[in-house]
Amino acid sequence: MSFIKINGVNFFYELKGRGQNPLVFVHGSWSDHHAWDMVSELLSDDFRILSYDRRGHSMSERPEMQGSINEDSDDLASIIKELGLSPAHIAGNSFGASISLRTALRHPEVIRTISVNEPPLFDLLEGNENMKKTLLEIRSRLDKVAGILERGDMESGARIFFETIAGSAGDWERLPEEIQKRYIFNAPTWLDETKDPESLRLDINELAKFQKPALVTRGGTSPPFFHVIVELISDVLPNVERHIYPNAGHSPHASHPEEYAKQVKEFISEASK
C-alpha cells in the first residue's frame, strides 16, 4: 500500500501500468479508487496510471473540518506534482469530473488533456426555464438524502441517492455488498460536500480560457439534466471533443469499461499528435 501526505492529509494511492504517459483517474462521490479498476487494467499497457482515494474516502484520511471542492482540486494538482507526473492526462467521473474541471481553472499547468463525464454542476441549470422544475426536483432530492444522513442513517441515505439521483429504483440492490459497504462508509464525505457552496457550480467564463484538449462525455441513458450540463460545458471549451456512450448511464467506466477505455485512449492519442 502506498500513502502520501499532501496539504496536511494522508492519501492512499495506487500507481501502476507499463506505459510512459501519466493518466490520472479521479473518482466521484461515495466511491474510491476501485471505481477505476477495470479501466485501469485495460489501459495499463499504454499509460502510467494513478488512481487514489480522495480526502475523506476509504483509505485516505478524513479531516474533521469542513472540506471544499477547491481543496480537492489542490489535492489533485499536488499529488500529480509530488509523484512527478506533471503534466498528466486527467479523467474524472461525476464529482471527480467537477474536480477535474476546477483543476483546469486553478492548476492548468498539471494538465496535458482532460476527460470528464457528467459533472453534477447543477447550479449551471439556473436561468434555464426548461430546467426550472427539474432543478427544483434535484435540489429536493439532494436535501432529502442529506437529511437522512444528518440523522445518522448512512445506509438509507446511500440507497436513496443511488435510486433517485444517480440511477433508478432497484439499482442499490443490484450492487455487490462490498460496494454498498464502501458507499455507506463514504457517505459522511458526500454530506460534507453538500455544505460547500462551490461544489455544484463552475465559472463558465473562466473555463472558456482553458485551451488544452478536452473530452466531454455523457451516457445515452442518463437523466436529461446531465445532457444539458454537458452541452453547456462543451459549448465553452475551445478545444473540445464530445462523445456519447449510447447504452451507458452515469458511470460508463464501470458499466462499459471496454468502450470507455477505447474512447479515452483514442482521444489522448489524437490529442497528442
Side-chain angles (χ1 to χ4, degrees):
M1 290 188 183
S2 298
F3 291 86
I4 187 171
K5 192 161 190 175
I6 296 290
N7 301 326
V9 176
N10 285 312
F11 288 86
F12 170 83
Y13 72 93
E14 195 171 68
L15 193 57
K16 60 183 180 181
R18 293 168 287 279
Q20 295 297 315
N21 292 324
L23 172 59
V24 181
F25 288 126
V26 191
H27 68 80
S29 301
W30 306 86
S31 188
D32 61 19
H33 74 283
H34 284 299
W36 302 101
D37 284 351
M38 290 184 288
V39 169
S40 294
E41 187 63 31
L42 291 168
L43 294 174
S44 61
D45 285 336
D46 302 286
F47 299 97
R48 184 65 168 154
I49 297 173
L50 169 66
S51 56
Y52 68 105
D53 291 347
R54 296 195 288 107
R55 62 169 62 207
H57 292 81
S58 295
M59 289 190 285
S60 289
E61 185 180 353
R62 180 177 295 165
E64 294 182 2
M65 68 288 291
Q66 172 65 43
S68 74
I69 191 171
N70 286 334
E71 287 179 335
D72 284 312
S73 169
D74 294 346
D75 293 340
L76 173 57
S78 296
I79 290 172
I80 290 172
K81 290 177 181 177
E82 286 294 319
L83 294 178
L85 303 177
S86 181
H89 303 288
I90 296 178
N93 187 73
S94 192
F95 199 72
S98 298
I99 293 168
S100 299
L101 290 169
R102 185 63 66 108
T103 304
L105 302 185
R106 293 172 64 85
H107 306 283
E109 74 281 358
V110 305
I111 299 175
R112 188 176 301 183
T113 68
I114 189 170
S115 304
V116 294
N117 185 78
E118 297 189 3
L121 297 167
F122 299 128
D123 285 4
L124 295 183
L125 300 176
E126 287 185 350
N128 186 325
E129 285 301 316
N130 294 329
M131 288 285 109
K132 189 173 182 179
K133 290 179 65 176
T134 299
L135 183 57
L136 289 173
E137 179 63 25
I138 291 170
R139 287 174 172 166
S140 174
R141 293 179 184 182
L142 292 172
D143 288 344
K144 180 177 180 180
V145 174
I148 293 170
L149 297 181
E150 290 277 14
R151 295 194 294 272
D153 190 348
M154 302 300 165
E155 181 173 356
S156 294
R159 176 178 56 79
I160 292 173
F161 177 88
F162 278 90
E163 296 195 344
T164 65
I165 299 171
S168 56
D171 282 356
W172 178 255
E173 295 303 323
R174 286 189 283 271
L175 289 174
E177 183 179 356
E178 178 184 359
I179 295 180
Q180 289 182 353
K181 289 180 178 179
R182 188 177 304 152
Y183 291 159
I184 292 168
F185 179 82
N186 292 327
T189 301
W190 180 86
L191 180 60
D192 182 81
E193 290 169 354
T194 67
K195 298 175 182 178
D196 172 21
E198 291 291 314
S199 65
L200 302 180
R201 64 183 57 158
L202 188 75
D203 189 331
I204 287 290
N205 294 325
E206 286 298 310
L207 188 62
K209 300 175 184 177
F210 183 73
Q211 299 289 328
K212 297 178 182 180
L215 172 66
V216 183
T217 65
R218 64 174 177 86
T221 65
S222 293
F225 52 79
F226 278 122
H227 304 185
V228 177
I229 292 170
V230 163
E231 285 305 305
L232 287 170
I233 292 168
S234 301
D235 286 345
V236 301
L237 285 165
N239 190 4
V240 66
E241 179 179 329
R242 310 170 196 234
H243 182 76
I244 299 172
Y245 299 101
N247 301 309
H250 188 52
S251 302
H253 60 296
S255 63
H256 296 73
E258 293 87 0
E259 184 181 354
Y260 182 91
K262 179 176 182 289
Q263 183 60 38
V264 169
K265 180 181 175 180
E266 289 179 353
F267 161 69
I268 292 176
S269 177
E270 187 64 29
S272 301
K273 289 181 179 178

